[in-house]
Amino acid sequence: MKFALIGNGAIAQYVKSNLLARGHTVEALLLRADSAASEHRPGAEKPSVLYHVADLPDNVEHVIDCAGHAGLRDYGPDILVTGRSLTTVSIGALADDDLYSALTNAATKGESKLHLASGAIGALDCLRAARVGQLTSVRYTGRKPPAGWLGSPAVTKLDLQALKGAPQTHFQGSARQAAIEYPKNANVAAAVALAGIGFDKTAVELIADPGITSNIHDIQAEGEFGTFEFRISGKALADNPRSSALAAMSVISSIEQQTGTIVF
């Protein structure tokens, strides 16, 4: 297949190299004007760098968003209305009802699909199955080392640089609140919400924990099916300590599911 990528950061670089290794081609990088200078790496004449959806080559069949919530908001509807498929890791952006509606309407008009890569968490297939019956509660707890919350609203609530000893909670609320307030940190909470009982009913707790070195995600769910607990301790990409390796891997997994003949 012939792809275009939104963004050119660590996740985009990982996705690009793995697509090429699987025999696909990356025809273009679609960058936002306000981030183009920082994201465009020297020597990247191929694939071409573009700033408008209208400039995408006609042979691009599928676009992959690796640029965060702003990239999906700025380019997502325009891509879907052209009839191209779009895969995104920016699941938290869907907490914005206006964007959710815009993406839905564009996909309907373009007869296209928006694919949500599962990101840094597993067990979502279990949640999707459980919601066929009655899910009574779903809770997501996200733990990161203090440095992992730098650049988030946690800096206004905790002294992350000096935090030692016991873990400190800096957010408790719904998945919708988490996704809106923590756009760079709450894609996992949003994925759990969409797979289960929704943004407003999914409980979220975010914790800065000086006693850990990796990002830990916990899901607890209860319902007609019974109960389950899931935990993953995730590593970051080597190129960017703030980017989840599993989030990047989930993009490739999603593409393989979309292009494979036998899908699991």
Side-chain angles (χ1 to χ4, degrees):
M1 291 183 66
K2 298 184 184 299
F3 291 89
L5 304 181
I6 304 176
N8 196 29
I11 290 180
Q13 290 295 313
Y14 182 95
V15 169
K16 181 170 68 171
S17 65
N18 276 270
L19 289 174
L20 297 177
R22 286 162 173 76
H24 304 295
T25 60
V26 177
E27 299 292 318
L29 300 178
L30 187 58
L31 305 184
R32 293 182 295 114
D34 61 352
S35 62
S38 61
E39 290 187 4
H40 182 47
R41 301 186 177 186
E45 292 80 11
K46 185 69 175 178
S48 56
V49 175
L50 309 173
Y51 308 113
H52 305 285
V53 171
D55 294 332
L56 285 172
D58 292 339
N59 62 355
V60 168
E61 307 165 68
H62 196 123
V63 181
I64 302 173
D65 163 39
C66 304
H69 294 195
L72 181 61
R73 182 178 60 248
D74 291 350
Y75 291 135
D78 290 341
I79 289 167
L80 290 167
V81 81
T82 68
R84 295 179 173 95
S85 294
L86 174 63
T87 294
T88 183
V89 294
S90 306
I91 300 175
L94 299 181
D96 181 336
D97 284 335
D98 290 339
L99 178 59
Y100 190 101
S101 295
L103 292 166
T104 300
N105 293 337
T108 300
K109 184 175 181 180
E111 298 183 348
S112 54
K113 289 188 180 298
L114 173 63
H115 301 274
L116 307 181
S118 61
I121 196 69
L124 300 184
D125 54 343
C126 184
L127 275 180
R128 284 192 295 266
R131 74 182 182 191
V132 174
Q134 183 179 8
L135 267 173
T136 54
S137 67
V138 178
R139 182 177 186 82
Y140 165 72
T141 304
R143 295 174 179 266
K144 293 184 180 183
W149 296 109
L150 292 174
S152 81
V155 301
T156 66
K157 303 173 184 180
L158 300 172
D159 185 350
L160 296 172
Q161 302 281 11
L163 188 62
K164 300 183 186 300
Q168 297 291 321
T169 296
H170 54 85
F171 175 88
Q172 284 183 301
S174 70
R176 187 180 303 279
Q177 292 171 300
I180 292 172
E181 293 181 27
Y182 290 75
K184 295 183 179 180
N185 301 90
N187 281 327
V188 174
V192 171
L194 286 169
I197 56 177
F199 280 104
D200 297 312
K201 294 181 179 180
T202 301
V204 173
E205 182 176 12
L206 303 178
I207 300 171
D209 188 344
I212 61 176
T213 57
S214 60
N215 298 340
I216 299 176
H217 308 282
D218 289 298
I219 305 173
Q220 297 88 32
E222 184 174 350
E224 184 181 343
F225 74 98
T227 64
F228 87 81
E229 295 185 9
F230 176 85
R231 167 173 284 197
I232 187 167
S233 179
K235 295 182 178 180
L237 285 173
D239 290 348
N240 187 343
R242 296 188 186 181
S243 295
S244 163
L246 192 57
M249 295 171 186
S250 75
V251 175
I252 300 302
S253 175
S254 177
I255 296 300
E256 290 180 336
Q257 289 178 345
Q258 296 169 50
T259 59
T261 53
I262 298 178
V263 179
F264 181 54

